[in-house]
Amino acid sequence: NQDTMGVAFNATIVSERADSVGSCATKDGCNFFDDGIAAGIDAARVAGARVINLSLGGSTPGSGVLAAMQRAVNAGIVLVISAGNDSTANPDPFALTPAQDFPGSVIIAGSIGGPSGNNAISDFSDRAGSGSSFYLMALGYNDRAPDNTGTQYIWSGTSFAAPTISGAVALMAQAFPNLTGQQIVKILFDSADDLG
């Protein structure tokens, strides 16, 4: 309730660690492997999640991750996956492939915000490109949030836009528990402002 942005304050959060333990302390940053990501998706599904936020990017998910994603969308879960932060014309394959494989159940999260204002795509955000049918944006620029020690920092990236969109999915699921995940996704796309 202080110095941080939030959307679904009363949501129950299932937090699953998917990185290779100890890798985040290195200068190269965190390493994520398919078995850990798949296990996290499955654990969230078993826990009853309605939405899974994947603030991850990179290459095409392996077969184990795609199988876990398939189990999640079969259970009616919405997947929200970061677009990537390389200013490319298309989202990272980690987001684009599942969005194309599971249409209507995956949202690719791009970032808005920056020196040009909050109605323009962030300069670092990967664009919608071939993923435009699955792409939504939320504020991912200068988002105040704590690090692993609780110290507040200002962060920017599509990894900070994705939780905002996940929060919107959670609010919809809470307000209208009879809606399916695909219906929630459709409502969000139908009601979003088209910024071009």
Side-chain angles (χ1 to χ4, degrees), residues 123-184:
D123 60 356
F124 55 80
S125 182
D126 289 358
R127 288 9 188 193
S130 58
S132 62
S133 297
F134 321 107
Y135 192 94
L136 285 179
M137 294 187 297
L139 186 63
Y141 177 78
N142 283 353
D143 185 14
R144 181 183 297 275
D147 69 358
N148 62 320
T149 68
T151 303
Q152 294 282 333
Y153 287 97
I154 301 295
W155 309 87
S156 293
T158 58
S159 289
F160 299 94
T164 301
I165 296 170
S166 297
V169 173
L171 287 174
M172 292 288 297
Q174 178 185 17
F176 306 101
N178 57 317
L179 291 177
T180 67
Q182 288 195 341
Q183 289 171 324
I184 290 171

Side-chain angles (χ1 to χ4, degrees), residues 4 8 15 19 22 28 60 69 71 85 103 132 159 185:
T4 191
S15 179
D19 63 299
D28 294 330
T60 302
M69 290 176 170
R71 290 187 291 274
N85 302 315
S132 62
S159 289
V185 170

Side-chain angles (χ1 to χ4, degrees), residues 8-31:
F9 295 104
N10 292 320
T12 299
I13 295 175
V14 177
S15 179
E16 296 292 332
R17 184 173 184 164
D19 63 299
S20 178
V21 178
S23 68
C24 294
T26 67
K27 66 177 181 157
D28 294 330
C30 302
N31 290 318

